[in-house]
Amino acid sequence: MAPVSAARRPRASEEGHHRRLRERVAATHWRRRLAARRPLDHGYRLVVGAVGALVVTFGLVTIPLPGPGWLTVIAGLFLLATEFTWAERLLDFTRRHVRAWTEWLGRQRVWVRVAVGLATAAFVYGVLVVVLHAMGVPDWVPGWVPLWR
C-alpha cells in the first residue's frame, strides 16, 4: 500500500482527532457548569469579549512601537477564540499566514533575510523617533541620547 501524500491526507479535524479550541474549552467541567446558568454564561461571554477586544486593540496600537505588538494581538485573538467562532477562524488565518511568511523567509538567501531584518529595524526606529518627537522625550532619558529635545 502506497503512503498517502500530505496533500491527499485528510486534515486532523476531518478525522475527528482534533477538536477546535472553543470546543475543548466548552467541554471542561467549569465551562459546562457555567453554561448551565444562562445569565452567568452570557455575562462570562461578554467579559471574555470585552477583555479580548481590549487586548487586541492594545496590540494593534502598539504594533509599530518596539515590543510585542503582534504577539499581543495574537494573544487577544486566542482569548476571543475560546468563546467565538469568528475569532477562531481569524486566529487560524493568522497562524497560516505567519507560518507561510516564516517558511518563505527561511528559504531566502542570507542577504534577503538581513535586508528584511534591517528594514524592520529601520521602520521601528523611525516610528520610535516620530513618537518621541510628537510626544516629547521623557525626562528620564539621559542627555547624551541623540534624540530631539
Side-chain angles (χ1 to χ4, degrees), residues 6-71:
R8 303 260 339 212
R9 186 178 303 134
R11 293 177 29 197
S13 60
E14 294 170 355
E15 294 173 347
H17 298 299
H18 175 72
R19 291 191 305 173
R20 308 299 295 170
L21 175 64
R22 194 174 52 78
E23 294 168 351
R24 289 194 314 256
V25 170
T28 60
H29 178 69
W30 68 270
R31 190 61 185 97
R32 284 193 318 262
R33 287 188 62 188
L34 194 62
R37 296 179 177 95
R38 200 166 188 78
L40 287 178
D41 186 47
H42 287 302
Y44 174 77
R45 286 175 56 89
L46 185 66
V47 168
V48 167
V51 171
L54 186 65
V55 171
V56 168
T57 302
F58 178 75
L60 288 172
V61 168
T62 60
I63 284 173
L65 301 175
W70 280 113
L71 185 62

Side-chain angles (χ1 to χ4, degrees), residues 21 48-60 62-63 68-84 86-88 90-92 94-95 98:
L21 175 64
V48 167
V51 171
L54 186 65
V55 171
V56 168
T57 302
F58 178 75
L60 288 172
T62 60
I63 284 173
W70 280 113
L71 185 62
T72 307
V73 170
I74 292 170
L77 282 177
F78 183 81
L79 180 62
L80 288 167
T82 63
E83 290 298 317
F84 303 103
W86 63 266
E88 193 166 16
L90 186 57
L91 185 63
D92 287 341
T94 304
R95 190 178 294 145
V98 166

